[in-house]
Amino acid sequence: MHQDLLIHTEAGVTTITFNRVEKKNSFTEAMYAQLTQALSAADADAATRVLVFQGDVTVFSAGNDIGDFLNNPPANEEAAVFQFLRALVGFSKPMLAAVCGPAVGIGTTLLLHCDLVYAGDNAAFSLPFVNLGLCPEAASSLLLPQMLGYHRAAEALLLGEPFMAEAALEVGLVNRVLPPTECNAYAQAQAKKLAAKPLASLVATKRLMKQGQQAATLQRIEQEGHTFGQLLRGPAAKEAFSAFMQKRRPDFSGC
């Protein structure tokens, strides 16, 4: 049976590998539920000291699986995607990501909650929410302006155009850019360094760095989710998704 997520723990490092390459590692509702469960288990498991997200050398994640998303839209704050986002925010141990190829939507916004991010030089980050008639999620409307500065965040969120690994490095979204074939291994090596350090100190340091921000982040996720739900039922989103499924350019002139 094919597994969309591969979860492996070794030497204190739990690695979650997105394993749906034929669908560009796009996320389904079932995957969000699995991810939430995996994060909760790793946070509670003494054998896990560090967590790593990784994809394939050709693609990190294309974001939501559009077909699954349209069949299972997030109905309320208990939807699987929102449970996953809250688990990301609440994860107490170091969290790393290795990103190669496209990182679209949630594929980029989940990185805002990671502590260290390494990118292949083929990484392409994009936040096309407005282009789909929607709004940002995962508290990216709060965290991106803090990280990138307002004008660069506005460029990323309002235009929704991809930006490459070197640009992500310049603005601090990623820590280092490497050849794609070396990216996952480098993230694993960094994770093992962290796993050898005292866990109580790692957890305390992360908590202190994020102190005062967690409540605001969770509040923004809730606000974004409410607005997202309203826009999802609106004419612009309907046109955007119809155009996507019909492989044509959307016409927002009436929206």
Side-chain angles (χ1 to χ4, degrees), residues 66 69-70 127-137 157-160 224-244 249-255:
I66 297 298
F69 178 77
L70 293 176
L127 300 156
F129 304 111
V130 167
N131 300 341
L132 293 171
L134 300 171
C135 70
E137 35 83 310
L157 289 171
L158 296 178
L159 288 172
E224 289 172 344
H226 179 70
T227 304
F228 192 100
Q230 290 180 320
L231 290 171
L232 185 60
R233 296 185 291 272
K238 290 177 181 176
E239 167 61 15
F241 287 113
S242 293
F244 180 87
R249 291 180 65 87
D251 177 8
F252 295 125
S253 58
C255 301

Side-chain angles (χ1 to χ4, degrees), residues 159-173:
L159 288 172
E161 295 173 350
F163 56 98
M164 304 305 290
E166 290 296 339
L169 178 66
E170 181 188 350
V171 298
L173 179 61

